[in-house]
Amino acid sequence: MAKKTVPATAVAKKTAPAKAAAKRTAPASGDGTKTAPKKTAAKKTVPAKTAAKKTVPAKTAAKKTVPAKTAAKKTVPAKTAAKKAPPGQPSVAEPPRDESHTALVRRARRINRELAEVYPYAHPELDFQNPFQLIVATVLSAQTTDLRVNQTTPALFAKYPTPEDLAEANAEEVEEILRPTGFFRAKTKSVIGLSKALRDDFGGEVPGRLEDLVKLPGVGRKTAFVVLGNAFGRPGITVDTHFQRLVRRWKWTEQTEPDKIEAAVGALFPKSEWTMLSHHVIFHGRRICHARKPACGACPIAPLCPAYGEGETDPEKARKLLKYEKGGFPGQRLNPPQSYLDAGGIPAPPLGAG
């Protein structure tokens, strides 16, 4: 038994060189050199595996493209981010950059439909009983409110009911009546000159054609379209300060001149809608979409408005900014239409009342 262990140890000693050969990294002669390169070759495959592991970051790099996709998704809120801007901060919101003319037409007409539901009682806010009273009142409304005109014209028309009467009026007496409207001297000159032209050139009647109306003293396209649309039922767009402000906020046009605004907006709507469109826009401008501090948080067309966020967005604070019937206050007409009264509108007080 002891003799058998001796060869076993010898076998173990023989394996030692084999292990040493395995540890050699340099090539050597003999059969051991053949196995050594194979083992080292196997070891070289390990970096190959680690190289494969290095592809994992490549995959993770691909995963990093997911935030890139989400970044693209974040561009949608970026457009609406300006809509949630704090009060007083300028809005940078815009309609989609690729908004086509067709998309603009659809958006504009949808806004008008929404406003028609909000203001089904929209109407001219100047008191009048005939075309003559309307054209005079419209001339007087420059640089003042319709309310102030409505409080002033009852005394004027009571004393001068016809163009012939006003054409013969004493200028100083007319000035005294018109003083509350501001710029009363210039306005007196305009309404007396207007009345003389109606008497001398049109038989005391207000003409129903645009080309004739704009020839009258103090009458421009805005006044002419007010008269045509509301006294004669002929479509026209009234581009006053409210209209100009809102259509630019809504990105309907970038034009600044009234006649160009009229043409640009008119192209978006059927001609039959022009008059009521003007009333809807002007009503909205006076009640909600104010010049200095629009009540964005109480605006019924906020989802369609590129300028949302220019004004107060808090609903409670915005409701306090509402004017006229929307805020529970009197309107501008002393004698408003019945539909306005049925909707909760309150007549304006006469001059000097309260």
Side-chain angles (χ1 to χ4, degrees):
M1 293 296 291
K3 290 181 180 179
K4 288 182 181 179
T5 58
V6 174
T9 56
V11 173
K13 289 180 180 179
K14 288 181 181 179
T15 59
K19 292 180 180 179
K23 293 180 181 179
R24 293 174 185 172
T25 58
S29 61
D31 294 338
T33 58
K34 292 180 181 179
T35 58
K38 288 181 181 179
K39 291 181 180 179
T40 54
K43 289 181 181 179
K44 288 180 181 178
T45 59
V46 175
K49 291 180 181 178
T50 56
K53 291 181 180 179
K54 290 180 180 178
T55 60
V56 175
K59 291 180 181 179
T60 56
K63 291 181 180 179
K64 290 180 181 179
T65 59
V66 175
K69 291 180 181 178
T70 56
K73 291 181 180 179
K74 288 179 182 178
T75 57
V76 176
K79 291 179 181 178
T80 57
K83 295 184 177 182
K84 297 180 181 179
Q89 182 176 343
S91 173
V92 294
E94 294 180 356
R97 292 181 181 179
D98 59 347
E99 185 177 44
S100 64
H101 179 72
T102 300
L104 171 60
V105 170
R106 290 174 179 172
R107 185 169 62 87
R109 294 184 181 184
R110 185 179 173 188
I111 288 175
N112 187 40
R113 289 194 299 271
E114 295 284 343
L115 293 180
E117 293 182 4
V118 177
Y119 311 107
Y121 46 78
H123 57 273
E125 295 192 89
L126 289 169
D127 283 324
F128 70 98
Q129 296 178 348
N130 54 57
F132 171 64
Q133 291 187 0
L134 179 58
I135 195 171
V136 169
T138 307
V139 170
L140 296 177
S141 67
Q143 305 297 321
T144 191
T145 64
D146 287 357
L147 170 60
R148 182 62 67 186
V149 174
N150 291 336
Q151 293 174 329
T152 304
T153 51
L156 180 70
F157 295 139
K159 192 168 185 177
Y160 311 105
T162 68
E164 291 82 0
D165 295 326
L166 191 52
E168 298 295 331
N170 180 283
E172 292 182 356
E173 294 179 357
V174 176
E175 287 178 1
E176 193 59 32
I177 295 174
L178 301 184
R179 185 180 294 272
T181 66
F183 302 96
F184 58 91
R185 291 190 178 87
K187 291 180 179 180
T188 295
K189 184 178 179 180
S190 293
V191 297
I192 290 179
L194 165 66
S195 299
K196 289 181 178 179
L198 292 176
R199 179 195 63 189
D200 298 340
D201 301 333
F202 298 98
E205 299 292 334
V206 176
R209 299 194 312 165
L210 176 64
E211 54 267 35
D212 292 330
L213 287 169
V214 294
K215 294 177 182 178
L216 298 172
V219 178
R221 291 180 67 86
K222 183 193 81 170
T223 299
F225 281 127
V226 170
V227 175
L228 289 174
N230 298 288
F232 295 99
R234 297 176 183 174
I237 295 178
T238 304
V239 185
D240 69 350
T241 56
H242 301 288
F243 194 94
Q244 292 185 50
R245 180 177 72 255
L246 268 61
V247 299
R248 286 174 59 81
R249 278 180 176 170
W250 295 335
K251 305 297 181 182
W252 288 4
T253 180
E254 295 297 328
Q255 299 294 336
T256 57
E257 299 178 16
D259 57 337
K260 292 182 179 180
I261 292 175
E262 175 194 326
V265 175
L268 304 177
F269 296 89
K271 192 173 182 179
S272 59
E273 296 182 12
W274 287 358
T275 299
M276 287 309 300
L277 167 70
S278 300
H279 291 325
H280 295 153
V281 175
I282 294 171
F283 255 61
H284 192 62
R286 286 174 171 167
R287 285 151 179 77
I288 296 178
C289 195
H290 311 135
R292 295 183 180 179
K293 199 170 185 181
C296 294
C299 181
I301 60 165
L304 301 171
C305 180
Y308 177 84
E310 286 188 9
E312 179 59 65
T313 57
D314 180 83
E316 291 298 327
K317 294 179 180 178
R319 275 193 285 271
K320 296 178 181 179
L321 300 174
L322 301 179
K323 295 183 179 180
Y324 304 113
E325 75 284 352
K326 290 300 178 184
F329 304 111
Q332 299 202 80
R333 293 188 63 165
L334 278 67
N335 299 297
Q338 188 61 43
S339 59
Y340 179 78
L341 298 176
D342 293 341
I346 305 172
L351 188 66

